[in-house]
Amino acid sequence: MKFRNWFLLILLFLATGINAQIKNPVKFKFTINELGDNQYEAVLNATMESGWHIYSKDIPEDTGIPTDYKVSGKNIELIGKFMEVGKKHEEFSEAFGGKIIYYSNSAGFKQKFKLKDGTKPGDVVAEITYQTCDDRVCLAPNTLEFNKQVTPKGATEEAKTDEKTEPAKDSATIPATTASVVENPVKNIATPATSTLDPKQLKISSIDFQKPLTDCGTGSTKVEENYWTYLFLGFIGGLIALLTPCVFPMIPLTVSFFTKGNKNKAKGKRDALIYGFFILLIFVLLSVPFHLIDGIAGNIFNKISTSVWLNIGFFIIFIFFAGSFFGYYDITLPSSIANKSSKAEEAGGIIGIFFMALTLVIVSFSCTGPILGSLLGSAVTGSANVPMLLTFALAGFGLAWAIVFGLLALFPQALQSLPKSGGWMNTVKVVLGFVELALALKFLSKADLVSKIFFLKRELFIAIWIIIALGLALYLFGLIRFPHDDKKPKISITRKILGVLGIGFVIYLIQGLIPSDRPKLQLLSGILPPLNVSYFHDEKDGILGMHPEHDFFKAIELAKKEDRPLLIDFTGYGCENCRKMEEFVWSEPDILPILQNDVVLASLYVDDKEELPEDQKTKIDLGDGQVKKVKTIGDRWSLFQQVNFNNNSQPHYVLVTPDGKVINTPVSGYMPKEDFKKFLECGVDFYKKNK
């Protein structure tokens, strides 16, 4: 059967084999409002399920698929351009290297028009093209058409009848009872009653896409916010803060106060544990204002993360923090705050212990402030659920302090094993200063990417980090000094080891400056500018040096010729999660060789805008005035995915044998490297053993 005819059959028999994996999280309602004076408004309202969004018409080029709304029809004349209604959200996309603009929950699209002849009805045709995404997958761009008739007051019945249009001749139809809001624009399509074609012709020869040959338990799972990672990072930050000059000398003094200052040793240890609990509580309470701000201001943290000026502000603040750690000045809270808290300690009892803990937090701010600021900056610009991440990060920070103070209170003899205060604590601060400089560059990079200036390219970013790492190494070897360093510092073995590690990091970074068809510095993915913001980037380089097939049938023939399984990658040019998979997962050193050597890769773009030949274009009547258009190569691959694999999300990965049998359970969405590796290895190993 000819290729084009096979696809036409798909359009006629879409009712077979579709299940709940087909997602349609956006519902539309089309209405026409009369504005008076022969003017009307064609309004299309969209409601989205929680977590899903559609892009604005104003989205920057080379990112997602902008929403396009067109109104046309017989006897109507447009007035101006269409307008969007709803709350816009802006967010920086690491995958696209720029800011994306979208709507969540709901959006509206309006187009004013008038009747050319105010005495006759008008047939209104509204067409919307849009793409839907969540944090894991994007759905193929969809084009829907809506039809309504406008009848002006005073129009005669004869005029209404004369202007009534007939349905499209080449449209598949569905019963009118399936009207209202379309839940699933594919499964509602029925076979035309006049058809005499065999539904089995929906498949290609002996291909059976519905039942995998094996199952390794590789189905993807939803990736949740990694709160425990932030708890761990906060805990590490707390331990580091304990080593600074503002905090470390206070450890033995505070613990001794509870263990020796109380005749009842049991009560002293209990009070010390309460003291540790209050330290944890105070740090957790520091996150409460962020929950309140988020509740009042809604998308404020999202706006912060994508604001050019706020990211530049973070850059300046981190430079300021670095200067403090280097010893050029101190960052402290007003002394009146510490004095009031210290005076409140006299209340005694549990209240007094609480204010002792509060005083510790306040007086140590000059050392802890920059570290806490780093956690704040990381959370605000790195996730959607900022307040909860901050709570976990601050809880981890406070937990480190609570554990140290609590354990030392229970086992005071351990105080003797602690190192004595000295110049090493200033070394810790200076090292943190270099870390702050490196982190500051991340915020400057984000401002550069959001503004699309693209001055701070990947190689320049790496070069600056090399300079910072060299500076750190020179400092650790005693070749650079800062204000609070000894004039003739004693270079300990620890400093020398850290200096060597710094030189090793420089060597690691240098490889990122060398042009290569494979990405370097995978450990820094998500920190460095995207691969496409580079002095060496060229679209002709393909994907990670690979040049996948973009036609399923050519890929199948190649798989037969090379006797390798075929990896079908349902993707899209405007699919952010697809780009994330390619850059952060495909590029991993234990993933890329599998893609290059063990499979034939077919990347089928569901948003390819190249039009099909006229005899392959068609429309599918969805009922309630909604019509699905099939006119591009992207539409073809989108339907191919839906019909044969019961799925319409991207990225979607399917491993098949050269004769077209699904090897293992397909996976969808952005996923951890280990999950994708398990999926690939399961299918490849099975094929090698059974071919």
Side-chain angles (χ1 to χ4, degrees), residues 320-349:
F320 186 66
F321 286 161
S324 173
F325 275 141
F326 289 147
Y328 294 112
Y329 44 80
D330 288 328
I331 302 174
T332 59
L333 294 173
S335 58
S336 59
I337 297 177
N339 293 335
K340 289 180 181 179
S341 177
S342 181
K343 188 175 181 180
E345 296 176 17
E346 300 174 2

Short mmCIF file of all heavy atoms in Angstrom, two decimals, residues 320-349:
data_model
loop_
_atom_site.label_atom_id
_atom_site.label_comp_id
_atom_site.label_asym_id
_atom_site.label_seq_id
_atom_site.Cartn_x
_atom_site.Cartn_y
_atom_site.Cartn_z
N PHE A 320 29.33 40.79 46.60
CA PHE A 320 29.41 41.46 47.90
C PHE A 320 29.69 40.44 49.00
O PHE A 320 30.52 40.67 49.89
CB PHE A 320 28.11 42.21 48.16
CG PHE A 320 28.12 43.05 49.41
CD1 PHE A 320 28.96 44.15 49.52
CD2 PHE A 320 27.29 42.74 50.47
CE1 PHE A 320 28.98 44.93 50.67
CE2 PHE A 320 27.29 43.51 51.63
CZ PHE A 320 28.14 44.61 51.72
N PHE A 321 29.01 39.30 48.96
CA PHE A 321 29.27 38.22 49.92
C PHE A 321 30.73 37.76 49.84
O PHE A 321 31.37 37.52 50.86
CB PHE A 321 28.36 37.03 49.65
CG PHE A 321 26.92 37.23 50.05
CD1 PHE A 321 25.92 36.43 49.52
CD2 PHE A 321 26.56 38.22 50.95
CE1 PHE A 321 24.59 36.60 49.88
CE2 PHE A 321 25.24 38.40 51.32
CZ PHE A 321 24.25 37.59 50.79
N ALA A 322 31.23 37.62 48.61
CA ALA A 322 32.60 37.16 48.43
C ALA A 322 33.58 38.13 49.07
O ALA A 322 34.54 37.71 49.74
CB ALA A 322 32.90 36.99 46.94
N GLY A 323 33.34 39.43 48.89
CA GLY A 323 34.21 40.42 49.51
C GLY A 323 34.23 40.32 51.02
O GLY A 323 35.28 40.50 51.66
N SER A 324 33.09 39.98 51.61
CA SER A 324 33.02 39.79 53.06
C SER A 324 33.83 38.58 53.49
O SER A 324 34.59 38.63 54.47
CB SER A 324 31.56 39.63 53.48
OG SER A 324 31.47 39.29 54.86
N PHE A 325 33.70 37.48 52.74
CA PHE A 325 34.45 36.28 53.09
C PHE A 325 35.96 36.50 52.90
O PHE A 325 36.77 35.90 53.61
CB PHE A 325 33.99 35.10 52.24
CG PHE A 325 32.79 34.39 52.78
CD1 PHE A 325 31.80 33.91 51.93
CD2 PHE A 325 32.65 34.18 54.14
CE1 PHE A 325 30.69 33.24 52.43
CE2 PHE A 325 31.55 33.51 54.65
CZ PHE A 325 30.57 33.04 53.80
N PHE A 326 36.34 37.32 51.94
CA PHE A 326 37.76 37.60 51.73
C PHE A 326 38.34 38.47 52.85
O PHE A 326 39.56 38.58 52.97
CB PHE A 326 37.98 38.29 50.38
CG PHE A 326 37.79 37.37 49.20
CD1 PHE A 326 37.29 37.86 48.00
CD2 PHE A 326 38.11 36.03 49.28
CE1 PHE A 326 37.12 37.02 46.91
CE2 PHE A 326 37.94 35.17 48.20
CZ PHE A 326 37.44 35.67 47.01
N GLY A 327 37.45 39.10 53.64
CA GLY A 327 37.91 39.86 54.79
C GLY A 327 38.00 41.35 54.58
O GLY A 327 38.57 42.07 55.42
N TYR A 328 37.45 41.88 53.51
CA TYR A 328 37.53 43.31 53.26
C TYR A 328 36.52 44.10 54.08
O TYR A 328 36.67 45.30 54.29
CB TYR A 328 37.33 43.60 51.76
CG TYR A 328 38.46 43.05 50.92
CD1 TYR A 328 38.26 42.00 50.04
CD2 TYR A 328 39.75 43.59 51.01
CE1 TYR A 328 39.29 41.49 49.27
CE2 TYR A 328 40.79 43.09 50.24
CZ TYR A 328 40.55 42.04 49.38
OH TYR A 328 41.59 41.53 48.62
N TYR A 329 35.46 43.45 54.53
CA TYR A 329 34.45 44.08 55.38
C TYR A 329 33.60 42.96 55.98
O TYR A 329 33.68 41.80 55.56
CB TYR A 329 33.56 45.05 54.59
CG TYR A 329 33.13 44.52 53.25
CD1 TYR A 329 32.07 43.61 53.12
CD2 TYR A 329 33.80 44.90 52.09
CE1 TYR A 329 31.70 43.10 51.89
CE2 TYR A 329 33.43 44.39 50.85
CZ TYR A 329 32.38 43.50 50.76
OH TYR A 329 32.01 42.99 49.54
N ASP A 330 32.79 43.32 56.98
CA ASP A 330 31.91 42.35 57.63
C ASP A 330 30.45 42.71 57.35
O ASP A 330 30.09 43.90 57.28
CB ASP A 330 32.13 42.33 59.15
CG ASP A 330 33.44 41.67 59.52
OD1 ASP A 330 33.85 40.75 58.79
OD2 ASP A 330 34.06 42.09 60.52
N ILE A 331 29.64 41.69 57.18
CA ILE A 331 28.20 41.88 57.03
C ILE A 331 27.56 41.50 58.36
O ILE A 331 27.61 40.34 58.78
CB ILE A 331 27.64 40.99 55.91
CG1 ILE A 331 28.34 41.29 54.59
CG2 ILE A 331 26.13 41.18 55.77
CD1 ILE A 331 27.95 40.34 53.46
N THR A 332 26.99 42.46 59.03
CA THR A 332 26.39 42.20 60.35
C THR A 332 25.01 42.84 60.43
O THR A 332 24.71 43.83 59.74
CB THR A 332 27.26 42.76 61.48
OG1 THR A 332 27.42 44.18 61.29
CG2 THR A 332 28.64 42.10 61.48
N LEU A 333 24.18 42.27 61.26
CA LEU A 333 22.90 42.89 61.58
C LEU A 333 23.13 44.01 62.58
O LEU A 333 24.14 44.03 63.29
CB LEU A 333 21.95 41.84 62.16
CG LEU A 333 21.50 40.73 61.20
CD1 LEU A 333 20.70 39.67 61.96
CD2 LEU A 333 20.69 41.29 60.07
N PRO A 334 22.20 44.97 62.67
CA PRO A 334 22.36 46.05 63.65
C PRO A 334 22.60 45.50 65.06
O PRO A 334 21.95 44.55 65.48
CB PRO A 334 21.03 46.80 63.55
CG PRO A 334 20.55 46.51 62.16
CD PRO A 334 21.00 45.12 61.86
N SER A 335 23.56 46.11 65.77
CA SER A 335 23.92 45.62 67.10
C SER A 335 22.74 45.69 68.07
O SER A 335 22.67 44.92 69.03
CB SER A 335 25.09 46.43 67.66
OG SER A 335 24.76 47.82 67.71
N SER A 336 21.79 46.60 67.82
CA SER A 336 20.64 46.73 68.72
C SER A 336 19.80 45.46 68.75
O SER A 336 19.24 45.09 69.78
CB SER A 336 19.76 47.91 68.28
OG SER A 336 19.31 47.72 66.95
N ILE A 337 19.75 44.75 67.61
CA ILE A 337 18.97 43.51 67.56
C ILE A 337 19.61 42.45 68.45
O ILE A 337 18.95 41.77 69.23
CB ILE A 337 18.87 43.00 66.11
CG1 ILE A 337 18.12 44.01 65.24
CG2 ILE A 337 18.19 41.64 66.05
CD1 ILE A 337 18.04 43.62 63.77
N ALA A 338 20.94 42.32 68.34
CA ALA A 338 21.64 41.34 69.16
C ALA A 338 21.54 41.71 70.64
O ALA A 338 21.40 40.84 71.50
CB ALA A 338 23.10 41.25 68.73
N ASN A 339 21.64 43.00 70.96
CA ASN A 339 21.56 43.44 72.36
C ASN A 339 20.21 43.12 72.98
O ASN A 339 20.11 42.65 74.11
CB ASN A 339 21.85 44.93 72.46
CG ASN A 339 23.29 45.26 72.10
OD1 ASN A 339 24.17 44.41 72.22
ND2 ASN A 339 23.52 46.50 71.67
N LYS A 340 19.14 43.35 72.22
CA LYS A 340 17.80 43.06 72.74
C LYS A 340 17.60 41.57 72.95
O LYS A 340 17.02 41.14 73.94
CB LYS A 340 16.74 43.60 71.77
CG LYS A 340 16.65 45.12 71.75
CD LYS A 340 15.58 45.59 70.76
CE LYS A 340 15.51 47.12 70.73
NZ LYS A 340 14.48 47.60 69.76
N SER A 341 18.10 40.77 72.01
CA SER A 341 17.97 39.33 72.15
C SER A 341 18.78 38.82 73.33
O SER A 341 18.33 37.97 74.10
CB SER A 341 18.44 38.64 70.86
OG SER A 341 18.37 37.25 70.98
N SER A 342 20.00 39.37 73.51
CA SER A 342 20.85 38.94 74.61
C SER A 342 20.23 39.30 75.96
O SER A 342 20.29 38.53 76.92
CB SER A 342 22.23 39.57 74.47
OG SER A 342 23.09 39.16 75.52
N LYS A 343 19.62 40.46 76.02
CA LYS A 343 18.97 40.89 77.26
C LYS A 343 17.79 40.00 77.60
O LYS A 343 17.51 39.72 78.77
CB LYS A 343 18.51 42.34 77.12
CG LYS A 343 17.99 42.94 78.43
CD LYS A 343 17.66 44.42 78.26
CE LYS A 343 17.16 45.00 79.59
NZ LYS A 343 16.83 46.44 79.45
N ALA A 344 17.09 39.51 76.58
CA ALA A 344 15.93 38.65 76.80
C ALA A 344 16.33 37.29 77.37
O ALA A 344 15.49 36.58 77.93
CB ALA A 344 15.16 38.46 75.50
N GLU A 345 17.63 36.94 77.26
CA GLU A 345 18.09 35.67 77.82
C GLU A 345 17.91 35.63 79.34
O GLU A 345 17.81 34.55 79.94
CB GLU A 345 19.56 35.45 77.49
CG GLU A 345 19.86 35.29 76.02
CD GLU A 345 21.35 35.18 75.75
OE1 GLU A 345 22.08 34.89 76.72
OE2 GLU A 345 21.77 35.37 74.60
N GLU A 346 17.86 36.82 79.97
CA GLU A 346 17.76 36.88 81.42
C GLU A 346 16.43 36.35 81.93
O GLU A 346 16.28 36.12 83.14
CB GLU A 346 17.95 38.33 81.88
CG GLU A 346 19.31 38.91 81.47
CD GLU A 346 19.43 40.39 81.81
OE1 GLU A 346 18.44 40.93 82.38
OE2 GLU A 346 20.47 40.99 81.51
N ALA A 347 15.47 36.14 81.05
CA ALA A 347 14.17 35.63 81.48
C ALA A 347 14.30 34.24 82.09
O ALA A 347 13.48 33.82 82.90
CB ALA A 347 13.19 35.60 80.31
N GLY A 348 15.34 33.51 81.70
CA GLY A 348 15.57 32.19 82.26
C GLY A 348 14.60 31.16 81.71
O GLY A 348 13.69 31.47 80.94
N GLY A 349 14.79 29.91 82.12
CA GLY A 349 13.91 28.84 81.70
C GLY A 349 13.97 28.61 80.20
O GLY A 349 14.94 28.94 79.52
#
